Amino acid sequence: PVGAGPQARGYVWARIDAGGGRTADVWSVDVQHGAGRTRTRLAEIGTLLQAWSGAPHTVIAGNLDAASGRPEADQITGQGDLRAAGGDAAVSIFGTGDLGLGDTATGPSRSMLAATVRVVG
């Protein structure tokens, strides 16, 4: 949804072959930036979570303004099995409990994000 912001934001999703007949879903997300746009971000995250629909073996990462304790993080971790894996105040990585997430890092640009992911469940 487009709310109090200058651009329509969105996500891209891919299903990755994790070997052994297992797959993992990876979502790359960019939500509305800026102070005073929390309500818009929450609507965008709500749309994302509805599209995700609780699938196992999932990583959701990107520019989410979802630092620990923020409403955006609470909305994400309050849905299904998603937990925070790391990130700074803006760029975050979340994953389901059936994944091992480690070695998270952000690059010099907030558009660069990396994590080591293992399917454990």
Side-chain angles (χ1 to χ4, degrees):
V2 178
Q7 300 178 17
R9 299 295 180 148
Y11 56 82
V12 62
W13 163 83
R15 179 158 287 153
I16 308 292
D17 181 351
R22 298 179 297 185
T23 61
D25 291 350
V26 179
W27 297 74
S28 178
V29 183
D30 189 17
V31 298
Q32 206 62 242
H33 306 277
R37 295 197 176 125
T38 300
R39 190 165 58 200
T40 299
R41 283 190 293 276
L42 293 174
E44 291 170 337
I45 291 168
T47 299
L48 164 73
L49 294 173
Q50 185 176 17
W52 165 58
S53 70
H57 310 307
T58 297
V59 174
I60 296 175
N63 197 338
L64 292 156
D65 270 338
S68 179
R70 291 189 48 91
E72 295 87 346
D74 293 343
Q75 183 179 20
I76 295 167
T77 58
Q79 299 292 316
D81 189 25
L82 290 169
R83 66 197 185 328
D88 66 18
V91 181
S92 305
I93 302 171
F94 296 85
T96 52
D98 53 9
L99 295 178
L101 298 167
D103 301 324
T104 63
T106 56
S109 163
R110 289 186 180 232
S111 63
M112 297 170 55
L113 191 59
T116 301
V117 179
R118 293 180 295 109
V119 175
V120 296

